[in-house]
Each structure stands twice: as structure tokens, then as C-alpha cells.
Amino acid sequence: MSGRNTPNVMAVKQRPSPYSRPTAKQPSIVAGQRQLGQLVSPKPSPVAALPVELVPVNDLVQLARKSFSAKDFAAAVQYLTRALTIAPKDINLLDSRAASFEKVGGFNDALTDAKAMIRNHPQNPKGYLRAGKILRLQQNFKSSTKIYVAGAERCDNSSKEYETLARIAKEMCAKLEDIAKAEARVLDPMDRLPYELIVVIFDKLSFTERVRCLTISKKWMSYLGSVRQFWQSIELARRIPSSYQIPHHSLYTPTQPDQESNNKVTNRTVLSLVKNTPPRALHLGCAQQLTGSLFTQLTKMRRTAALETLTLRMNPKVYEHEFSLFWSATPKLRFLDLHGCFGVTDGAVVSVLDRCPMLEELDISECRITEACFMINCAVPLSNMKKLIIGRWEVQFAKEGIDSLVSRFPNLVTLDIRTMRPRGIEALESIGQLKMLKHLYTDSIETSGEAVTTFVLQQWVAGIQNLESLQMNACKGVSDSMIQLIAAGSAEPGSTRRGWSHSLKMLDLSSSPYLTCEGLEFLRANPLPHLHTLILNKCSRVSEQGLRYAVASSGTELCRLECTGYSNVSDKLLFEIKDHCPKIEALHIANSGLVTGIGLMALVNERGRGLQRICVDDCSGVSVDAVERARAVLGENSRVLFRFHRSHR
């Protein structure tokens, strides 16, 4: 039954049996192949009817051999099964029954017998040969090769079966290698596509997806690593400001900093990616596992000469002395973000300002700095600086420091001092000298009164010509006179009074305790026609009527309105927005006690899917059904922000 020159159990000579032989004559073996299903109820014969213990193993083997020769494989399986009840671990019986199962197509049963042979006789090559043959018949060449190789490693090499096993194992390994190479030649795009098309395809992938492609094979790593444009921007941050599109309704508001930690980025990760080519941008995000030795190694590897952008936020392990050589090796640096890096002090800021003359954007907010970093070399202006984000709430900035800042960066376009704590608003008087300033963001400025605030604002209006964004959130001195200064002269032909009505696009006066409806009513006669964003959250002296004045005077360009924290706001404000703001995209009216689902649906039906976001958190008059209908109209659940109020039924 086996094709090898091995002794067969069916050829063993019959030995005298101690059991009595039956007197009846044996029936002839039925010719032809039988189905495997006949094993359950085989044709009765005198031998099969006798008890198992009364039939010698040799007789059963002889009967099985005759059945196999007559191609009655089902009967052979029957006899061998009875023989295995007497000798269940006999390797020759298991091999013969596996061969019989193989002939009738029972590969799973044959494989079970082959595994039993390997389990009971792990050093005998027969089990490995039989299992490998069955797996090859099942087209499972990989598992078959593993069986052959395992047998060649475990079996005794003194038999002829071992030589056969070793030869087949070697042949199968070579065959499997050829199959893998053939598949790789067919499927590998590196061999089939032209270079230009590969560059176009992989250029569409994100940086993270491109890094994953490096792990496919050494060929891919070498091929992709040779394309320099793929590695000129190392983007390891969770959220890259330059990689996502800012919504239209957030164009003039300050960008939200990336605060999501990314602890998987280490020094080794960065160094393995910059070895391909010197990068132009390193977006490392909140990688708190990075240490200062990274910048020392980058300098030694000469990978900083082309660097233009460096982003590293909320890192406590990088210190000033580790930056000393790095700034000298980055002459082309233009954008630097070190927000929340507590190891950055005044010395590091002075060093980067002196050695990087092409710097355009700098974020050193929440670092351990004081106004002294600008007072050093303040006579040398940096005309390329366009955007500056600075401040630390634990340290107060004096007027001398702000004056030095203004003289050092005369061409600032964006000044974000939300995290700065100046010593009164009078310390910010010199900001009015920044004639090219367009975006000014402040927060919680301590002031000595309304008169001082008005005086400082007059200096700003007189000096800054085309201010587009003004944020003065929680500034105690903001009052009605500030509205009059901002919108002065807009409705007076030939008036010499100047304001920002012709240029202002974002106005944030939230939490202003002295702002009243009279100041907002002034906007009816002196509107702000180009206003894009209006934020008036939690102004305690402003009522719904004042908000309606502001909406009606804002013109048709208003895209974003925030007026949360007013318990007296009703559906009238929503109808006012529907009638006067055809381009409204974002609306926040949280904690508005009198707003109902009627006003919500009126605005939603009017704007349709042009309304990108509406927030009705804690609005007790808005029902859950109205929110679900609004979400159905807008198409996305995320467009309607709704927090369940305890008064809802």
C-alpha cells in the first residue's frame, strides 16, 4: 500500500494463533471499490460476526491485505480498525489504515491517523511521510513543508525512510520558495508599475500609512526610502494643524493647541525616519518620551540644515543647554512651536531669536519665560516675525517687557497673548504701534477701570489700521464706550473718527460685566458690515433685545454666533438670525431657557445643510424629538450638540 521499500504489515507471515479457528468457509472478498459510508453497516461475514478478541491480528491483517488488493478499500478500513482495537499504537496498522482512507478520499481521517503515528512514534519517519503526502494532496504545501522539515529534524537518520524524508523536505522548501517568488513577481507593484506612478500613489497616503508600508519588505523600505519628498515632512503628531482644513466658521478664531499626548514617539523613532533625507518639517506633537539628546544627535547627523518647521508641545524632558548647538544648525527655521515645554527658559528664547533670523512664527506660551527674553537685544528688530504666541499665567509681564516685544517684532500680524498675565491693561498700550497687526487675542486682562481701558483702546484704534480679529474675553474694563470706539464713523460720511468697522471680522467680548444693551444698540446706526464671527457669551447686563440689535447690525456676512448663558433668550433671537443671517454656519445658544423646538426647526429648515453646527445644550424648552428632527434635516448627528437637561421629560 505504500510506495516506499518498507516492510508492510500485510506481508507479515501468519503466525500460529492460540485462538480457535472458525469451521465455516470464509466468503470471497467483494470486488470493486466501496464507499466510505458503508463502514457504518458493512456486509456481514462470518469473521465480522465473531467477537474481536477471538480473531487474531494476523488474520485481520491478511484480510485487509486481500481487500486492498481487490480495491475494496472500505473493507480494508474495517479490518484494520478491528485490528487497532487490539494494538491501537501499532505504527504499521495506522499507516495501512491511513493509506486505505487516502484511497477512498477520506483525507481528514487519514491525517488523523498520520498525526497519531507522529504522536506515538515521534522518531519514526513513516508518520511524517504519510502526513506530508496527505497535506500535499489537499494542496496545503506550506503545512506539508513544515511537517517534512520537522520530521527531518526529529527522526533517526539511520533508515532509508529518513533519506526519503530529507530529500522530499529539501524539494518542498525549494518549491515553496519558487511559489513565493512567483507570487511576489505578480503582486509586487514595485516591479510592475513605473516610478512616476508609484510616487503619485504613495503621495496620496498619509505619513502614518507610508511608515507602515516600510515594514512590508526590505525592497519596499529601500524603494520608499529613496523617494526624498516622502520624508521631507515628518508628521508624528496626533493632529497636525497644516494637515486638516479649518472650517469656514473658524477662520478668524485662534487655533486650538494640540494637547493629545503621543507616548509612542521616541528618539529612536525620529532618528530612523530622518536617516533617508534631511527633513524640512518635524511635527512631533505632545511626544513626552523625547529627550534633549535627540536634538544633539540630529545636529551630529547633519539633518537640520533644511529644517523649516519644528513642533514640540508639552515636553518636560528638553532643556535649554541641549538646544545650544541645535539653533546654530537650523539657519532656515521659520516656524517654531514649543508650547508647554517647561525646560525652555529665557536663555533658549534669546538664543533662537539671535541665531534664526528667518523665524516667522513662534509659540512659547506656557514656558518658563519672563519679559527679560525680549529686553535683551531689543534694538535689533526681527522684521520677518509675523505670528507670536506668548505668555505664562504664573508670571506677570510688565509694561517694559511689552514695549521691548513691540520694538523687537514691528511687523507682527498675529499676536496671541491669551496665556499672558500683564500688569494691568495699561501695560499693553504700546501694541498700538503694530501697524500691520490684524489678529489680537487676549484673555482675562486685569485692569484698573473703564477709563484706562478706553484710553488704551483709543491708542490701539489710532495705531492699528486694519484689525480683523479682536478677542478681549473676560476683560473687566470692557464697556459700551469700547463698542463706540470700534464702530465709530462707519455711518458718518466725511467723519474724521476712525474705527475698525471697515475691517473687523471677529469680535469676542465674552464675560464683559459692564457691557449693556445700549452699547449694542449703537451698532444699529453704526453697523459692522464685514463681521464674520461674533462671540458674546455670559455678559450679565445684556438681554435678548441687545443680542437682536447685534445680529441685525452684523450684516449678511455673519457665519458664527455664540451667545450662551442667557436664560431670557427665546425663539425671537432664532427668528432674527433666520431673517438677517443667510450665511450662518455655527450657532451656540446653550443654557437658553426660553428657546424651544419651534425656533430650532425654523432656523434648521431655513439654512438646511448649510448649517454646520448648532449647540442647544441645557436648553430645557427644546425636546428630544425636535433635536432628532433637526439632525435628520442636517444629515449628521454631530451637527446638533445637545446635552440632556434634567427638566426634560
Side-chain angles (χ1 to χ4, degrees):
M1 286 177 283
S2 176
R4 300 181 303 275
N5 296 327
T6 56
N8 199 315
V9 294
M10 299 181 183
V12 178
K13 293 183 179 180
Q14 184 176 2
R15 293 176 294 180
S17 175
Y19 303 102
S20 59
R21 297 179 179 272
T23 56
K25 187 177 180 181
Q26 297 288 343
S28 60
I29 304 299
V30 180
Q33 183 177 359
R34 297 181 182 179
Q35 299 296 328
L36 190 59
Q38 296 178 353
L39 294 175
V40 181
S41 56
K43 184 177 179 179
S45 63
V47 177
L50 293 176
V52 175
E53 63 271 6
L54 298 180
V55 181
V57 174
N58 292 335
D59 290 353
L60 294 172
V61 171
Q62 289 293 337
L63 291 171
R65 188 175 70 83
K66 292 179 181 179
S67 299
F68 194 90
S69 300
K71 296 184 180 181
D72 189 1
F73 306 112
V77 169
Q78 174 193 358
Y79 294 131
L80 291 170
T81 302
R82 292 174 59 187
L84 283 168
T85 59
I86 303 173
K89 295 185 179 181
D90 190 289
I91 189 172
N92 293 323
L93 294 176
L94 289 170
D95 188 33
S96 299
R97 190 171 70 169
S100 301
F101 277 129
E102 180 186 318
K103 291 294 184 181
V104 295
F107 296 123
N108 292 332
D109 295 326
L111 188 61
T112 302
D113 284 347
K115 290 181 178 180
M117 295 164 62
I118 296 173
R119 184 171 58 254
N120 297 325
H121 306 277
Q123 295 184 349
N124 196 309
K126 286 186 177 181
Y128 301 99
L129 288 169
R130 180 62 62 186
K133 181 181 179 182
I134 295 168
L135 290 172
R136 287 167 64 186
L137 292 174
Q138 292 179 331
Q139 303 297 318
N140 193 349
F141 298 107
K142 188 175 294 185
S143 299
S144 173
T145 305
K146 290 182 180 179
I147 289 289
Y148 285 131
V149 172
E153 292 175 354
R154 298 177 187 175
C155 296
D156 186 11
N157 56 2
S158 59
S159 61
K160 292 184 178 180
E161 288 87 352
Y162 177 81
E163 296 178 1
T164 305
L165 179 64
R167 177 179 54 80
I168 297 177
K170 187 176 180 181
E171 292 175 356
M172 287 301 298
C173 287
K175 184 177 181 180
L176 202 64
E177 230 175 275
D178 294 339
I179 293 174
K181 289 181 179 179
E183 291 178 352
R185 284 195 298 269
V186 173
L187 301 178
D188 195 346
M190 299 298 180
D191 295 334
R192 297 293 179 181
L193 299 179
Y195 173 81
E196 293 79 7
L197 185 56
I198 292 176
V199 172
V200 171
I201 293 173
F202 283 93
D203 193 46
K204 301 294 183 181
L205 302 180
S206 65
F207 183 80
T208 305
E209 294 170 339
R210 218 174 288 143
V211 171
R212 290 175 182 171
C213 292
L214 294 176
T215 62
I216 293 179
S217 65
K218 292 183 178 180
K219 181 189 293 185
W220 281 49
M221 179 180 292
S222 175
Y223 202 91
L224 294 178
S226 63
V227 185
R228 292 190 174 185
Q229 67 185 68
F230 290 165
W231 314 109
Q232 289 180 349
S233 179
I234 308 298
E235 300 179 357
L236 299 177
R238 293 291 180 89
R239 181 166 61 85
I240 309 299
S242 60
S243 65
Y244 65 91
Q245 186 177 3
I246 299 177
H248 184 257
H249 58 78
S250 300
L251 286 177
Y252 300 99
T253 55
T255 57
Q256 295 296 328
D258 180 16
Q259 301 288 354
E260 188 176 0
S261 60
N262 188 5
N263 294 325
K264 294 183 179 180
V265 178
T266 61
N267 291 7
R268 184 178 179 182
T269 306
V270 180
L271 294 175
S272 63
L273 293 173
V274 302
K275 67 180 181 181
N276 297 314
T277 184
R280 291 183 180 178
L282 277 177
H283 296 286
L284 305 178
C286 299
Q288 299 182 359
Q289 300 299 322
L290 294 178
T291 61
S293 61
L294 168 66
F295 302 98
T296 304
Q297 294 176 2
L298 288 174
T299 305
K300 292 181 178 178
M301 294 172 59
R302 298 182 180 179
R303 286 292 182 267
T304 60
L307 190 63
E308 297 180 0
T309 303
L310 174 61
T311 302
L312 179 64
R313 308 178 66 88
M314 307 298 293
N315 187 286
K317 299 181 180 180
V318 180
Y319 298 97
E320 174 184 346
H321 65 277
E322 294 166 327
F323 277 127
S324 57
L325 296 177
F326 182 76
W327 303 131
S328 301
T330 56
K332 297 182 179 180
L333 191 65
R334 297 170 56 198
F335 308 99
L336 178 61
D337 185 356
L338 297 176
H339 170 80
C341 294
F342 308 116
V344 176
T345 58
D346 292 341
V349 177
V350 172
S351 178
V352 70
L353 293 178
D354 291 341
R355 301 176 184 179
C356 302
M358 299 180 64
L359 201 62
E360 296 180 9
E361 294 185 10
L362 177 63
D363 185 354
I364 48 176
S365 55
E366 295 299 338
C367 297
R368 292 191 303 167
I369 60 172
T370 63
E371 65 266 20
C373 62
F374 302 111
M375 298 175 70
I376 300 175
N377 296 332
C378 63
V380 182
L382 295 178
S383 57
N384 290 327
M385 184 69 70
K386 304 299 181 183
K387 182 177 181 180
L388 179 63
I389 305 176
I390 184 176
R392 185 170 180 237
W393 191 248
E394 290 81 3
V395 179
Q396 285 190 335
F397 284 73
K399 187 176 185 303
E400 294 78 9
I402 306 300
D403 295 344
S404 301
L405 182 151
V406 171
S407 61
R408 192 74 190 271
F409 312 118
N411 297 329
L412 277 179
V413 176
T414 301
L415 179 59
D416 189 343
I417 51 176
R418 287 175 296 164
T419 57
M420 179 185 286
R421 188 184 177 193
R423 295 180 181 178
I425 194 171
E426 58 269 19
L428 304 177
E429 178 186 351
S430 59
I431 291 180
Q433 301 176 16
L434 299 173
K435 296 182 178 181
M436 300 182 65
L437 193 66
K438 291 187 177 181
H439 310 284
L440 176 60
Y441 307 113
T442 63
D443 195 0
S444 303
I445 298 178
E446 299 178 0
T447 182
S448 54
E450 179 182 352
V452 176
T453 304
T454 304
F455 172 76
V456 171
L457 189 62
Q458 288 176 348
Q459 303 300 316
W460 291 359
V461 172
I464 304 173
Q465 300 177 359
N466 299 311
L467 191 68
E468 295 183 0
S469 303
L470 177 61
Q471 179 182 20
M472 298 190 69
N473 182 23
C475 297
K476 297 180 181 179
V478 173
S479 61
D480 296 341
S481 58
M482 181 175 180
I483 298 292
Q484 297 174 6
L485 285 172
I486 292 175
S490 62
E492 303 175 10
S495 175
T496 58
R497 295 192 302 164
R498 296 185 64 256
W500 294 319
S501 60
H502 63 287
S503 62
L504 198 63
K505 297 181 180 179
M506 194 280 283
L507 181 62
D508 183 0
L509 301 178
S510 300
S511 303
S512 300
Y514 301 111
L515 184 63
T516 66
C517 295
E518 295 179 0
L520 297 177
E521 188 178 4
F522 179 79
L523 295 176
R524 298 181 65 183
N526 300 271
L528 302 174
H530 303 290
L531 197 63
H532 176 280
T533 300
L534 179 61
I535 304 177
L536 296 172
N537 296 323
K538 299 180 181 179
C539 296
S540 57
R541 298 189 182 185
V542 175
S543 64
E544 181 185 22
Q545 187 62 39
L547 295 175
R548 292 174 63 186
Y549 289 152
V551 170
S553 62
S554 297
T556 60
E557 298 298 324
L558 190 65
C559 291
R560 178 173 182 171
L561 175 63
E562 294 187 17
C563 50
T564 63
Y566 296 95
S567 58
N568 57 356
V569 168
S570 65
D571 292 340
K572 293 181 180 179
L573 178 63
L574 295 180
F575 289 127
E576 195 80 23
I577 296 171
K578 179 177 74 69
D579 295 336
H580 293 87
C581 303
K583 295 183 180 180
I584 193 72
E585 294 182 1
L587 176 63
H588 293 254
I589 51 173
N591 302 104
S592 300
L594 302 180
V595 173
T596 66
I598 298 175
L600 174 64
M601 291 306 302
L603 179 61
V604 169
N605 290 329
E606 177 69 21
R607 287 290 293 128
R609 299 200 174 186
L611 191 63
Q612 298 295 323
R613 180 178 298 176
I614 181 169
C615 177
V616 289
D617 287 344
D618 295 329
C619 294
S620 56
V622 179
S623 64
V624 178
D625 294 338
V627 172
E628 294 300 328
R629 290 197 300 270
R631 288 174 174 173
V633 173
L634 297 181
E636 296 180 11
N637 293 342
S638 59
R639 291 192 176 188
V640 182
L641 304 180
F642 176 69
R643 184 169 55 210
F644 191 76
H645 194 271
R646 62 182 181 180
S647 62
H648 288 161
R649 295 179 180 179

